Every structure is written in structure tokens, then in C-alpha cells.
Amino acid sequence: MNIAKLVRRNAPPTNDGLPSTQELLQDDSTSFLRELTSPKQAEVDLVAVHGLNFANAKAHAVKSWTAGEEGEERLWLKDFLPHRLPNVRVLLFSYNSNVAFHTSKVGVGDIAEDLLHKLWTKRQSAPDRPLLFVAHSLGGLVVKRAIVKARSIGRYSLIHHSAKSFAFFATPHRGGFGAEVGQAAAGFVRRLGMNPRTGIMEALRKDSHIAPEINNDFVDGQENYHICSFYECRPMPPLSALVVEKSSAILGLGTAETRIPCVNADHSSICKFAIEDESYRFVIDEIEDLVHWTLGVAGLSMLEFRPSNAPSTSSEGSYPSYQLGTHEQKLSIASTSSEGGHSSSHLTGPRWGQNHLNPFLNEDMGSLSISPAMRYRSQPKSIRQVRTGPFFLVPYPQNFDFVGQQSIIHQLRQFSDASKGVRNKMAIWGLGGTGKSQIALAHAYWYRLNYPGNSVFWIHASSPDQLRDSLEMIAAHCRLSQPEDPSATVLDRVRRWLLDENNGHWLMVVDSADHLDTFTKPLEGIQPDPLDSANNPLLSIGLGSYLPAPAHGRILYTTNNKLLGETLAAQGNVLEVNPMDKNDACALVRRLLVERELSYADEKVDREAWSDHDLEVLTQQLDFLPLALTQAVAFMRQNVLSVKEYLQLISEDESKLTSLLEHDFRDRANINRLSKAVSSTWKIGFDHIEAQCRPAADLLSLMAVLEVQGIPRYLVEHFQTSNNQVVSRSIETLLAYSFVTTGSGNEMIYMHRLVQLAMRQRLVTYNTEAEWVRQAMRLLSEKFPEGGYDSWRDCAMLFPHALKVLTTQVYGSAEAIPLGILQSKVSWYCLNRGDVEKAEVYSQRALDNIEFAAGAKQADILAIKANCIIILQKLARYEEAEDMAQEVWRARRTTLGEKHEDTIKSFTTLSLIYQEQGKYLEAEKTIRKVLRSLKRGFEPDDELVIEAKRRLATILHYLGKYMEAEKYALEAIQGYERNTESDYSTLLKAKWRLAWILHSQGRYSEAELVNSQTWKAQIDILGADHPDTIKSRYGLANDLQAQLKFSSAESHMREVYSKAVQIVGATHIYTLISASSLASCLVASNLYSGRPSAELYVEAEDLYRLSLDGRQKLLREDHPETLAARTDLTNIQRLRRVVPPSEIEALERETLSKLKKALGREHPLALKSRDSLARILWVQKDIKFKRSEALKQAKKVLEIREKRQGWEQDETRKVAELVVRMLPDGKERRNLLEKIA
């Protein structure tokens, strides 16, 4: 069938006097409000508002709703809609929505004003006729802005109250891609020499704040709206993506919104129909439902609202009459007939069912029973009854999602029982968002159920005006008669009614009692009440005096302020509301999610199930705060997100979570129809603290830029140096608002993570965040310790805060020096804790900051470079370390002199670098030079001289010069003993070195005695967990192992490993070394047992592998310490024989090659690797050349050790024993045996 013929056949006759569709398409006008249909008995005005004209087409207002072949176009609002809705007057609004033009700069607000003015003018004959808006794309933003404006402009108030239904076609409520299309069009027009228009496009950008702001304002004041949101499902050519995504095209209002996917439509065709086909019927069915809703709700609305200047409308006027019964309060609606003969009963229709609920009504639309809260306002004065109670004046429905807080609920029930106590005032307090109002609401409904003869009142106390309004509402609700005293005010009557026992028992909830001024601010004409003056003088002069608490009454306050709660309810009558526990929080989210899923029951979407783990992560991320959790689920509902998607969104960065915390949301089951974001509840407390206690506000600002957990009190005291009273008052104020908590005997302060995010956003808003970060950095620069073990506890507490401020890029040249000092201290602490990589990063940053800073002292620069040297040394970057050490030494020698303490320390550091590289002769030469220099200018027992002797003893020990090493070690010990000013711990270090020298000479029992004494002394002085104490125990374990006391050795070594893990962490180099040593102890024990245990070998291999893996991550693959661990692993693999010898051999050859390259062929680690290679080759002795090479390698190791270390060193004798086993019987073998003996 020809489509054009079908269209012509279905086309209705044109309205007399109105232009046809073809005439409208020829009209170039861009600004009008024009009638498309004009029925004689119009009952509803339908206003159509078009969207963005990014093609700059003529007659865009008409073409937005028109489809069909050229010359046969059909405007469905004019040509089809009257078939179904003959009594609907259709108005078409047009405005200039081109994205590019010459002069106009108007935006959405200006267009909304124009729409309101034209509507007001057009509707003069029937100003209160119900309104239905149909809008496409940008037109939806224009409509919402217009409705918001109409609420506040008296001239347009009837437009506001008449508008009850809306159909949005692909409206970008949160911004959308359509603006990008517009920008492209604007670019095209710009090339033609015209000016681009950006006001409208700004509202449509996906990241624009304008569209969400319009949306929030519209939703915030919505009154019984019903909305249908149509969203596109196909990209508009040539685009590959949707112009407006589904998440932006729906409002997320639950049952108040119907969501319709237009599966075959793109952004442009979604509201265009050439024939009355299935797609059109799909849309017109929804439009018809909206018309029925509009007419049904209009009757109830007009009973509630009619301005004094509004013309009355008779039963024969432009909409049906409504009659209100006086007893059952049933609302009956007269039916009228349409011209087409169809029944026009406006609450029944082809798709209207009993399940469509009206939020103003208690029951479904079939019975139309007006809710109690509506009756008084809706009844005419002539039928109002004098009420005697009991009264239930609670403005919120019962929240069936409420869970948890059973302990507080129980105590409130005890409080409400008049037979179980004399307390008649109680306050619940806690952080905003913990659910105090919800607890009070649950208690109010419980009280009503259990005490049906008692009254319940709800008072809003967030401001004096709200408190007064609530009291006046009680007067109106209870129909309080005029008292005998004509001078008595409404508030007086309320007070007297509450005090009168004849009126029965009552419960009053005073919600949001967060400011004392609300209750104490003096009011004109109020005389102090003697009773209140005696009980609580603070409440005797303001509105608080109108809240009496006689024996037959109970008052329950909710407050964010503990101190105010104690003032209002008397100290001791306060209960703290903490965040929910994990189980209750998960239960709440489950309930909300189930409700959310039910709201999608009619929508064909894939609903991803949530796991218990997802819920636990979500509740933990949001600090188990009920309001934050409710807000999160509302956001998921509005944006059609799964729990996983929401978690991914807030985990991307803190700014996302901060933004979500500020997102106002629709809370369908709870207290506010549009609930304020959780951060808004805290803002009130922030403002109050700032006004009442400036030091507390400053402290809160400081804590906002630090790490959220564990802020030491002494840091706060250093920040607020005025006096301890100020510090205590500041902390008490923050505790009273639940913004912080304390622990560890009040020595640590903890801040809620979400509170910190909100406070930090406040600093950003006021543009003060950067300054507070700089203040925090300066504070930490002063208070962060130098990083030695004795200060590790303080360092550990301050370390997270230091990292927080160091990762913020807000510093300039003025902060270079304190910033560099803090970075240097953090670097030193990281080094001592074994995090060499992080130490290097902060050390280099410190150097970069201070080296070129104006006013920087050279001493500070050289001190930081000295730290860098040690870090480079630990990273085995010996050449760099050596060059920097030389530089620092020369600089100090020039500026301080050759005999200055710092100069000598620099030269000593240089000897240590030589030692680490195995350059023992250079190290010996350097330290002897230091010692000679010291002897010429210092006393023999000066600490610098003694320390140089200890260092020389260490180097001589490595060289195998044990006798001389022992001599200098003893001299160092004697010097420390004579020097009364020296630290006793340094004496113990010297004894520890002596013990190792004795051990290397094979004098194991002597070494054991020295190590044992040293270890016990260090336990007394330094503690069992000090690194030096653990080192001595490590030496003791080695002494015991050498004496074949394996059981004791293993016990000590296991304890050393455990302590290392506990104190410096599992990845510290000391821990990894102790793991290798424990493994070696297990191997030796197994070898000497005579009955080797496979299990012990497996454990040893696991430890060796752990040590190797840790060093590879901590250091690098070719670091000498890493290569040494690899040698250990190949040895155990050789013993276990689970890896082919050829593979082990290849690994050891590679290890040896890298060690010789890094340290030289004669370094002890290279010798150890060569020794291992010889043993691996020897186990392959069935291959003749392997056996020959094994002997050659072993002899080479013996030759080097004999030359460099002599026969006094244990390692020399061990390799000699290996060579003896390899040599055939003969003269060479006998000579070697004699040397060993």
C-alpha cells in the first residue's frame, strides 16, 4: 500500500482558521506559541517544545514533529493526535535554537522566560486549565527551567500548579553528545563568516554543570508529577554513538516516571511519525495516559491551590468539576463526552490500572482516599471539625527499609515507657548521615502502634523559623481554640496544650537540633518561664521555652552536636549513634537494591546480580553510613548502574567519590522527597564550627589534607602552639560533632574518610586547599624525626601524612627548603626500613629542591648528598656513589677543613664504598689515612678516633688480617670503655665486630661468649627488637652452627628471621639475608645428621627462593646481593638433585660472569660463586672434562683466598678441604693436608 495514500486517508479535517501542516512548513518565523488544534471544549493544554536546530533548518519547530514524503508531510500533533484526544488543545512553541547565528546570545533561561510569558498570555481565558508538556531534546531543559521559574514568580504561579505531566523525548537531563554535533555545525557556520552560539550548547555538553543543575532544581520541587521519558536506541547518521545516552535521558524517579525505549528511532526520528503505525500508537498510548493523569490530579490540586486573583471555574468550564465528600473524603469525578463519542472519564483509559499510585494519596486511584496530612488543607472552612486527638503529626511515611541500631531502639522504647523511669527528655547524637532521623522516625511509628491513645508530634529544628512553623502547625492541626487571654499567642496556646495533662500523653521528636541559637535566641514578647528558668536557664528565653517536658510528655532530640544534646536533654540522657555494623549496612543495601530492581520490573534491562563481596566493599567504602549508602543506591537507580559499576566509578579517584557525596538524590521511602547529599548534612556543622570555634575549624582544615587515620596529638599541639587549653577545646568541639574520634589514650586522632573528603572539597571551593597543604608540609618538615631506629615509632606515625603532602603539587620556590628537608628525612627513614627504591626517589627530589633553592645552606645540601651516597651504595651503583662521596669530601674539606668531624665522616664513607665493592686494599688505605689524620689532631679516646679504629678492624677482617683486625677491635672497645661520653650501644657494636673476627679465626666458643654477652646487654639497653640486638643474635646463631650445635642454632636463627619480618618487614634486605642464613643452617644440620631429611631440604630451598625473589624485587636482577642469593639457590638444587646439573651449571656460570663484571674476580661473592661452580662440576665427574674443570676452579678459589686472606680465615680452610677431596692421592694432596692441619 502506498504510504502517502494511507496518510491522506487517515488525515483528519483541518481546524477552521488554523494553518495546515504544509502552510506551517512554509512559515519562516522562529519565535511563537501557536495553536495547532483548538477544540471547543478544551480540557488540557498540550505544549510541544522542540530541541536543538544543529542543521540550521527553517521551520524547525514544525519539522521536529513532522515526517513523510515531500508535499505529504504529517505533523502528528495536529494531524493524528486529535483522533485519540479530541479535547486536548495543542500549542506549538518555537524559539531560535540554531547553534550558530549572527548576534543572539540567549541561553536556556531566557528561552524559558519567553515560554512562560507566551503561555501566560495565551491562557488568559482559562489560566488554570491542566497542562501537559511534550518536549524533544533541548526543549526538555527549557520546559524544566520554565517550571522552576514559575514556582517563584507569582504571575506564573498558575502555570506551575497546572503542570502535572511531562513527556520527554531524548532529553539530555545530565548533558549529552548532542552538543558535540552542535559544535560541528557551529564550526561549519563559522567558516561561512557567521558567529557561533555557545549558550545553548553549553547546557547540552556532557560534562556541563548546567543540565544537571536544571534537573536538580526541577526534581527538588516536583509536586505529584507524572513523567514519561522516551530514549533513543539507534545512533543518528553519520554518528557511531547515541546522541543522548539512556543514563542521561531518564530522570530516575522510580514509579513517578515511565521509561520507554524507542528501539527503531534515533535522536531525530524519535518524535516523528508519517503514519499512525505501531510506533506512533506506542507513543500516543503513553501521551493518553499522561492526559488522564493530568486531569485526575488537577482536581485535587485545584482544591488545594487557588490564588486570590484567579478566576473561578464553574462545572461547565474548561475542565470537569470535582466534589469533596464530608465524611469518607472520597473524590468523585464527573465524566464528560468527547465529540468523537468516546467516554472521557479521566481516570480510566486503555492503559490506566489500579496499580498507578498517586504519591498524595494513601490508597490506589480507585478509591481516592485523601491522606490525613492533606485533609485540613483541602477542606473548606465550613466542613472543618474541631479535633480532640490523639494526634499523629509526622510528615513522613514509615520507612520499611529501616534496619539495625537495635540497642538504641531498645533504649528509646524504655525511655518512652512512663512506668520505667522519670526521664522525659532524651537526645540521640552522632555524625550527620548515621541515621538519627530515621531512628527517630522508626520510634515514632512504633510509639503510635504501641500507644494508640497518645499523640505524636514532629518538630523541625534546623532553624528558629522552622521550629516556629512546626509549633504553629501543631496549633493548626489540633484546632486549638482561642484562650480566655486574648493576648496569648499561637505559641502560648501550644505550650499550654502540651502542659495540660487532660490532653493525654504525647511524644515529640525535635529533629535536627544542631544549633543552640534555635532554642535560646530571644523573641519579642516572651517572658522567661519560672519552671524552665530553674531547670535550664538557657532554654527559658527563646523558642526552647515552648517545648515543655511535663511528666506526661516525652521529647526526643536528634542532633549532630553532643554538647548541645547534653544541654537540651540533660547530661547523661544522650545516646551516641555510630555508623552501622557491616551486617546491618549490607542488609540495608540489599533492601534498597531489591526495591530498585522492582522499580525496573517493566523494563527490559539486564540486571546484574550483586555479590556479598560487592556489598561489603561498598559499605566499607562509604564508612557504613546509612545516608551515604541510600544516596549511593539512589545514584545507581538514577543512572542505571550495577554495584560493580558504581564501585569502579568511585575507585577511579577521590574526586569521583567527592562528587557523588554532593549529589542530591530522590529518596522514595525516606524522610525527604528530595534528600540532601550526605556532604550537605556535614556542611552545617562545618559552618557552625567555623563561626563558634576558629581553632577547631583550622584543625579540621589541617586534618583534611593529612592522611585520614592516626594523626598524633603532639602534631596538633605543635600546630596550635598557643596553649593546651586551645588544643583540648578544639578536639572536644570536633568530637562533639563526631567529625573525629580518638584512640590510644587520646594520643591519636582519627577522622572519618568521607568527612575528610567533604572537608577537602570545602577547601577547594574556598580556594584554600593549597595553603593548608603547604602549612601541613612545613609542620611535618619540623616534626618528622631524622629516621634512626630510636625514632621509628614516631616516623611510622608521621610517614603516611608525609607521603600525603609530598604527593600534592602545590609548592613553589618559597617552600623549596622545608620541602627538601622533609623529603630527605622521609628518604632516610625509607632507607632504614629497607625501601631503597623509595628512598632514592625522595632523596633525589630533596636534592633537586634544596640544591638550587635561594638561601639554602651548603651544609644542608651536603647532608642530603651524604644520604644519597648511602642509597646509591645500597643499590650497588658504586661508581656514582664513589663520585658523589669524593665530591662531598672535597667540598667539606674546603669549607670545613680536613680535621672537621663532617669531613672525616665523608672520607670514612668513601672507605665503606670501597669495601662494598670488594676493593679492600683501597678501603684499608683510605681508613688508615683517616686514622693518621685523627691522631694528629684528636685525643686517643676521642670518639672519632675510636670509630675509625672500629672501621679499620672491619676492613682488616674482610682482608683476612685477623690478628691485626682483632688488635684494632680491642683498642676500639677499650677506647669506648674509657670514653664516658660515648654511647654504650657503640661499644656493643665494637664487641659484635670482635665476635665475628674470632668466628672467622675458628675460635667459635670465644665468639659465642662475646656474642652472647653482647646480645643480652643489648636486650637490656636497646630492647629485644632493636636491629643491633637482632644482629648479635644472628652472630650467636652462626657461632652455634659452627660448633655443630644445630638445634640451638636453628632455634636462634628462626627467631631472628621472625623478628626481622615483624620489625623491618618481609621484604627488607636484613629479612632476606636472615632467610638465607636460616636455610644454610637447615642445610648444614641436614648434612651433618647422617640421615638427610628431604623435608628440610625443601624448606631450605623455599627460603632460598623467597630470598632471591625478594632481592630481585627490592634491588635488581644483577645486583650482587641478588646474585649471591642465586648462588645459594643453585647449591640447594645441587644437593636435592631435582634439577639437572647441566641447568644448574648454566645458571651458576651466568651468576659468576655477572659478579666478576660488577665486583671483580677476587671479590668474596665472586669467590663464593666460583666455589659453588666447582662443586656443581664435581657432581658431574662421570664426564672427564667436568671433573678436570672442577678441580681447576677450586684451586683458583684457594689461590686467591690464600693470597688475600691467608690460612687464618675459615673460608680458606673450607675450600682447601674441597680441593683435597678432588685431588688424587699424592704429594700435592699430602702437602695441602699439612697446611690445613
Side-chain angles (χ1 to χ4, degrees):
M1 181 182 295
N2 184 278
I3 293 179
K5 289 182 179 179
L6 180 62
V7 171
R8 282 195 297 271
R9 188 183 72 184
N10 289 336
T14 59
N15 290 276
D16 293 338
L18 296 179
S20 67
T21 298
Q22 297 304 318
E23 290 171 333
L24 290 170
L25 288 170
Q26 300 304 313
D27 191 341
D28 292 342
S29 302
T30 58
S31 179
F32 56 77
L33 179 65
R34 180 172 292 160
E35 286 186 341
L36 298 183
T37 66
S38 183
K40 295 178 180 179
Q41 292 185 349
E43 297 176 355
V44 174
D45 279 348
L46 185 154
V47 182
V49 183
H50 63 85
L52 187 68
N53 185 11
F54 48 79
N56 296 328
K58 295 180 180 179
H60 178 66
V62 179
K63 291 179 179 178
S64 293
W65 315 97
T66 301
E69 298 178 7
E70 186 175 357
E72 300 291 342
E73 295 94 342
R74 287 293 175 262
L75 173 59
W76 66 272
L77 293 169
K78 176 180 179 63
D79 299 332
F80 302 156
L81 184 142
H83 292 160
R84 289 280 289 272
L85 300 168
N87 287 354
V88 172
R89 180 173 69 155
V90 180
L91 302 173
L92 180 67
F93 177 63
S94 176
Y95 60 96
N96 192 338
S97 63
N98 292 359
V99 298
F101 53 93
H102 289 289
T103 57
S104 179
K105 296 293 182 182
V106 298
V108 173
D110 304 294
I111 299 168
E113 290 269 14
D114 185 42
L115 171 60
L116 287 174
H117 176 71
K118 285 182 168 62
L119 265 178
W120 181 80
T121 303
K122 180 73 72 174
R123 287 163 51 88
Q124 287 298 304
S125 61
D128 50 3
R129 180 183 294 151
L131 270 169
L132 162 61
F133 285 93
V134 178
H136 175 234
S137 188
L138 170 67
L141 304 188
V142 172
V143 168
K144 290 191 294 182
R145 177 63 85 195
I147 294 301
V148 171
K149 285 178 175 289
R151 291 175 194 155
S152 58
I153 302 175
R155 184 184 194 186
Y156 303 135
S157 57
L158 273 175
I159 294 176
H160 165 223
H161 284 277
S162 299
K164 297 301 176 186
S165 300
F166 303 83
F168 293 117
F169 289 85
T171 293
H173 299 295
R174 298 169 182 83
F177 287 109
E180 298 176 20
V181 180
Q183 291 285 11
F188 172 77
V189 176
R190 188 185 290 110
R191 290 193 292 274
L192 297 179
M194 301 171 70
N195 296 322
R197 178 185 191 183
T198 58
I200 290 178
M201 293 185 294
E202 170 63 22
L204 290 178
R205 271 204 356 259
K206 188 173 184 181
D207 60 349
S208 171
H209 65 90
I210 295 177
E213 282 180 3
I214 293 174
N215 192 53
N216 289 342
D217 291 342
F218 173 74
V219 171
D220 194 13
Q222 74 102 348
E223 298 178 0
N224 202 23
Y225 294 161
H226 195 68
I227 294 167
C228 188
S229 296
F230 298 88
Y231 57 92
E232 63 205 70
C233 295
R234 293 172 56 186
M236 184 175 71
L239 303 179
S240 59
L242 299 177
V243 175
V244 178
E245 295 174 338
K246 176 185 175 183
S247 60
S248 184
I250 61 177
L251 285 163
L253 299 182
T255 56
E257 178 186 24
T258 304
R259 303 167 185 173
I260 306 296
C262 297
V263 293
N264 294 317
D266 59 30
H267 186 73
S268 176
S269 65
I270 194 170
C271 54
K272 297 178 180 179
F273 307 101
I275 59 175
E276 296 179 75
D277 57 5
E278 184 177 356
S279 297
Y280 168 74
R281 288 193 294 273
F282 191 56
V283 170
I284 197 62
D285 283 348
E286 298 297 333
I287 298 293
E288 186 174 15
D289 268 3
L290 292 178
V291 169
H292 285 303
W293 175 276
T294 303
L295 286 168
V297 174
L300 182 60
S301 297
M302 290 306 163
L303 286 169
E304 293 177 340
F305 172 83
R306 182 180 297 282
S308 59
N309 60 349
S312 62
T313 306
S314 69
S315 60
E316 297 179 355
S318 59
Y319 64 93
S321 63
Y322 300 87
Q323 298 173 349
L324 187 64
T326 59
H327 179 61
E328 296 294 334
Q329 306 297 332
K330 297 289 184 176
L331 188 66
S332 62
I333 302 174
S335 297
T336 57
S337 298
S338 67
E339 289 183 1
H342 299 291
S343 172
S344 184
S345 177
H346 302 295
L347 294 184
T348 59
R351 304 181 67 233
W352 190 266
Q354 295 297 321
N355 62 330
H356 285 66
L357 300 182
N358 185 324
F360 277 133
L361 308 179
N362 279 343
E363 303 174 20
D364 62 24
M365 292 297 288
S367 62
L368 291 172
S369 173
I370 301 177
S371 67
M374 293 291 297
R375 288 175 185 158
Y376 180 74
R377 288 193 300 159
S378 61
Q379 290 175 340
K381 291 182 180 180
S382 60
I383 63 172
R384 293 181 187 172
Q385 305 291 324
V386 176
R387 304 184 63 183
T388 59
F391 304 106
F392 187 74
L393 190 58
V394 175
Y396 312 121
Q398 187 169 1
N399 179 11
F400 294 100
D401 291 327
F402 179 81
V403 295
Q405 304 292 7
Q406 290 306 305
S407 174
I408 292 178
I409 290 290
H410 175 72
Q411 292 182 70
L412 291 181
R413 291 175 181 177
Q414 295 285 101
F415 155 73
S416 297
D417 188 344
S419 66
K420 294 185 178 180
V422 296
R423 291 185 300 178
N424 50 14
K425 289 184 179 182
M426 178 72 77
I428 55 175
W429 72 280
L431 177 67
T434 51
K436 299 180 296 296
S437 297
Q438 292 294 343
I439 292 172
L441 183 65
H443 182 65
Y445 275 91
W446 173 88
Y447 186 89
R448 179 195 193 188
L449 179 65
N450 287 272
Y451 300 96
N454 297 358
S455 296
V456 182
F457 304 107
W458 190 282
I459 300 291
H460 296 284
S462 57
S463 69
D465 288 341
Q466 283 205 338
L467 178 53
R468 180 192 286 270
D469 289 345
S470 295
L471 291 171
E472 291 176 350
M473 182 64 73
I474 293 176
H477 189 76
C478 298
R479 319 279 203 276
L480 300 185
S481 59
Q482 186 71 18
E484 294 179 1
D485 181 4
S487 65
T489 65
V490 173
L491 300 184
D492 290 325
R493 298 201 297 274
V494 172
R495 174 185 172 80
R496 292 176 184 179
W497 189 94
L498 293 170
L499 287 170
D500 189 347
E501 189 174 359
N502 293 323
N503 292 319
H505 290 258
W506 50 263
L507 168 70
M508 177 183 289
V509 176
V510 182
D511 190 32
S512 300
D514 300 324
H515 306 298
L516 186 60
D517 289 350
T518 300
F519 303 91
T520 61
K521 187 176 181 180
L523 299 177
E524 293 183 9
I526 290 183
Q527 297 297 322
D529 182 271
L531 180 61
D532 277 335
S533 298
N535 292 338
N536 194 335
L538 286 175
L539 305 182
S540 65
I541 58 173
L543 284 169
S545 65
Y546 293 103
L547 302 176
H552 59 276
R554 294 288 185 271
I555 298 181
L556 173 61
Y557 297 94
T558 74
T559 179
N560 293 339
N561 189 333
K562 179 185 178 184
L563 299 178
L564 180 54
E566 291 175 342
T567 299
L568 295 171
Q571 196 163 6
N573 291 352
V574 294
L575 300 174
E576 182 178 7
V577 180
N578 291 308
M580 307 176 84
D581 62 34
K582 182 178 72 175
N583 293 334
D584 285 343
C586 289
L588 171 64
V589 176
R590 283 191 192 94
R591 289 192 180 189
L592 295 171
L593 286 172
V594 168
E595 179 186 344
R596 168 198 180 218
E597 296 301 324
L598 290 175
S599 72
Y600 293 153
D602 61 344
E603 187 174 329
K604 294 180 180 179
V605 295
D606 293 328
R607 299 193 296 272
E608 180 182 349
W610 58 86
S611 67
D612 289 343
H613 175 71
D614 291 339
L615 298 191
E616 289 177 8
V617 173
L618 175 65
T619 55
Q620 186 174 10
Q621 285 283 311
L622 298 179
D623 282 357
F624 307 104
L625 292 174
L627 181 57
L629 295 170
T630 305
Q631 182 177 344
V633 176
F635 185 87
M636 292 181 227
R637 180 171 61 242
Q638 292 173 12
N639 294 275
V640 197
L641 295 175
S642 68
V643 177
K644 283 187 181 296
E645 289 169 333
Y646 183 86
L647 287 172
Q648 184 178 1
L649 184 66
I650 64 175
S651 65
E652 291 176 358
D653 58 66
E654 283 189 349
S655 63
K656 291 285 180 65
L657 181 54
T658 303
S659 176
L660 295 176
L661 290 176
E662 295 178 337
H663 177 264
D664 289 350
F665 64 99
R666 180 157 300 281
D667 186 2
R668 294 180 299 169
N670 295 323
I671 285 186
N672 294 316
R673 198 171 289 151
L674 184 76
S675 298
K676 286 298 180 184
V678 64
S679 61
S680 300
T681 68
W682 299 332
K683 180 182 180 297
I684 299 169
F686 296 158
D687 291 341
H688 190 71
I689 290 172
E690 197 167 81
Q692 301 296 324
C693 185
R694 187 71 221 185
D698 289 344
L699 177 55
L700 199 60
S701 299
L702 175 73
M703 295 173 70
V705 300
L706 296 175
E707 189 51 61
V708 68
Q709 292 295 322
I711 301 170
R713 184 185 176 104
Y714 70 79
L715 188 69
V716 173
E717 291 172 345
H718 187 78
F719 170 68
Q720 294 185 334
T721 55
S722 53
N723 57 62
N724 287 335
Q725 289 182 343
V726 173
V727 174
S728 297
R729 185 187 173 206
S730 297
I731 296 174
E732 286 172 4
T733 300
L734 300 182
L735 286 171
Y737 280 88
S738 293
F739 289 146
V740 302
T741 58
T742 59
S744 302
N746 292 328
E747 292 304 310
M748 299 294 287
I749 306 172
Y750 302 90
M751 192 175 192
H752 288 283
R753 173 170 168 265
L754 300 186
V755 172
Q756 188 194 50
L757 288 176
M759 185 61 198
R760 187 149 190 166
Q761 183 58 38
R762 181 183 178 89
L763 299 181
V764 172
T765 302
Y766 289 111
N767 200 29
T768 57
E769 181 192 26
E771 180 52 39
W772 279 108
V773 171
R774 287 191 282 265
Q775 285 199 47
M777 183 275 294
R778 292 190 191 98
L779 178 65
L780 287 164
S781 183
E782 292 180 36
K783 297 303 294 180
F784 201 96
E786 294 296 334
Y789 175 80
D790 294 339
S791 64
W792 274 12
R793 180 177 177 274
D794 288 340
C795 287
M797 288 191 292
L798 296 179
F799 185 63
H801 307 297
L803 290 185
K804 185 90 177 235
V805 300
L806 289 177
T807 54
T808 307
Q809 305 298 322
V810 296
Y811 307 111
S813 57
E815 291 80 37
I817 294 177
L819 179 61
I821 291 173
L822 177 59
Q823 290 168 328
S824 178
K825 290 178 177 180
V826 168
S827 168
W828 189 244
Y829 173 65
C830 290
L831 178 64
N832 286 330
R833 295 292 299 182
D835 193 344
V836 183
E837 185 176 331
K838 192 172 287 182
E840 180 190 16
V841 169
Y842 284 110
S843 179
Q844 187 58 54
R845 289 178 183 174
L847 191 58
D848 292 342
N849 276 310
I850 288 188
E851 193 165 16
F852 304 105
K857 299 178 182 177
Q858 189 180 31
D860 291 333
I861 297 173
L862 295 176
I864 292 175
K865 286 188 175 181
N867 286 350
C868 291
I869 293 167
I870 297 174
I871 293 167
L872 291 170
Q873 172 193 328
K874 294 290 184 183
L875 290 169
R877 288 158 58 180
Y878 298 118
E879 292 184 2
E880 294 176 63
E882 185 177 335
D883 290 344
M884 190 173 288
Q886 292 276 10
E887 176 191 345
V888 172
W889 171 62
R890 284 193 292 268
R892 284 178 169 169
R893 184 180 61 180
T894 301
T895 57
L896 304 175
E898 190 168 356
K899 296 183 180 180
H900 191 276
E901 178 181 350
D902 288 344
T903 307
I904 294 168
K905 285 182 178 179
S906 297
F907 208 47
T908 303
T909 300
L910 188 59
S911 73
L912 186 60
I913 296 170
Y914 290 141
Q915 174 189 309
E916 289 289 320
Q917 296 179 79
K919 299 178 180 179
Y920 298 122
L921 294 176
E922 289 90 336
E924 179 189 9
K925 179 180 177 182
T926 303
I927 199 66
R928 286 188 186 278
K929 184 176 180 180
V930 169
L931 189 56
R932 286 195 299 270
S933 176
L934 288 169
K935 285 180 178 179
R936 289 195 295 268
F938 294 86
E939 295 295 324
D941 290 339
D942 187 275
E943 193 161 356
L944 285 175
V945 177
I946 300 170
E947 180 64 19
K949 288 180 179 180
R950 187 176 70 82
R951 289 291 311 124
L952 180 57
T954 300
I955 294 171
L956 292 171
H957 178 207
Y958 279 106
L959 282 167
K961 299 179 181 180
Y962 300 128
M963 298 300 293
E964 190 177 7
E966 183 180 350
K967 168 180 171 291
Y968 277 106
L970 288 170
E971 286 185 11
I973 290 170
Q974 292 163 4
Y976 283 129
E977 289 174 339
R978 290 192 298 267
N979 188 332
T980 56
E981 295 182 0
S982 65
D983 190 345
Y984 187 61
S985 63
T986 56
L987 167 63
L988 296 177
K989 283 183 180 179
K991 287 187 174 184
W992 176 78
R993 175 53 61 188
L994 174 62
W996 272 111
I997 294 170
L998 295 172
H999 179 98
S1000 297
Q1001 295 178 68
R1003 295 155 63 181
Y1004 302 127
S1005 59
E1006 295 177 62
E1008 178 190 351
L1009 178 62
V1010 175
N1011 260 327
S1012 179
Q1013 292 173 345
T1014 303
W1015 174 50
K1016 291 174 182 176
Q1018 287 172 327
I1019 290 175
D1020 292 337
I1021 298 171
L1022 304 175
D1025 295 340
H1026 194 283
D1028 288 350
T1029 308
I1030 297 173
K1031 282 183 181 180
S1032 294
R1033 192 171 190 180
Y1034 172 82
L1036 177 60
N1038 278 280
D1039 297 333
L1040 294 168
Q1041 179 181 327
Q1043 298 175 73
L1044 309 184
K1045 300 176 182 179
F1046 293 116
S1047 178
S1048 297
E1050 181 183 338
S1051 176
H1052 280 289
M1053 199 61 81
R1054 286 189 183 279
E1055 190 63 25
V1056 166
Y1057 176 61
S1058 176
K1059 288 282 188 185
V1061 171
Q1062 175 187 340
I1063 297 166
V1064 294
T1067 60
H1068 195 285
I1069 188 63
Y1070 291 160
T1071 307
L1072 302 176
I1073 290 172
S1074 64
S1076 293
S1077 298
L1078 173 58
S1080 298
C1081 181
L1082 296 175
V1083 170
S1085 172
N1086 218 18
L1087 287 172
Y1088 280 93
S1089 67
R1091 291 180 297 176
S1093 165
E1095 289 79 9
L1096 280 179
Y1097 277 148
V1098 170
E1099 183 183 359
E1101 183 173 355
D1102 289 343
L1103 287 166
Y1104 280 136
R1105 192 175 298 281
L1106 182 148
S1107 181
L1108 174 60
D1109 292 344
R1111 296 184 206 200
Q1112 286 173 334
K1113 294 175 183 176
L1114 181 65
L1115 305 171
R1116 63 173 190 270
E1117 289 282 348
D1118 58 349
H1119 190 284
E1121 290 290 346
T1122 306
L1123 297 171
R1126 216 161 111 178
T1127 295
D1128 289 334
L1129 183 60
T1130 56
N1131 268 326
I1132 189 64
Q1133 289 174 336
R1134 171 179 59 83
L1135 290 171
R1136 291 193 63 205
R1137 300 183 181 181
V1138 293
V1139 179
S1142 57
E1143 292 184 21
I1144 302 175
E1145 177 190 341
L1147 285 172
E1148 197 58 62
R1149 285 188 187 279
E1150 182 185 355
T1151 301
L1152 177 59
S1153 173
K1154 290 181 177 180
L1155 283 169
K1156 287 195 293 186
K1157 182 178 179 181
L1159 303 174
R1161 57 194 294 270
E1162 296 185 356
H1163 192 279
L1165 290 179
L1167 295 176
K1168 181 180 178 181
S1169 176
R1170 180 171 278 186
D1171 182 291
S1172 176
L1173 178 61
R1175 295 175 191 273
I1176 294 168
L1177 291 168
W1178 184 252
V1179 299
Q1180 304 176 70
K1181 56 187 177 183
D1182 53 323
I1183 304 174
K1184 187 174 181 181
F1185 73 87
K1186 299 279 186 183
R1187 186 172 185 178
S1188 173
E1189 186 182 0
L1191 179 58
K1192 178 181 176 182
Q1193 295 286 2
K1195 282 185 174 181
K1196 192 63 179 178
V1197 173
L1198 177 59
E1199 177 189 340
I1200 295 172
R1201 289 199 182 278
E1202 188 177 10
K1203 180 182 72 174
R1204 292 181 64 88
Q1205 298 169 328
W1207 284 92
E1208 296 174 346
Q1209 194 172 45
D1210 198 36
E1211 283 84 354
T1212 306
R1213 291 194 296 274
K1214 285 181 180 179
V1215 74
E1217 290 169 355
L1218 174 64
V1219 173
V1220 166
R1221 287 199 301 274
M1222 293 179 176
L1223 284 171
D1225 193 19
K1227 182 178 180 181
E1228 183 179 6
R1229 187 172 186 273
R1230 289 193 296 274
N1231 289 341
L1232 192 53
L1233 283 170
E1234 288 177 6
K1235 286 185 177 182
I1236 294 173

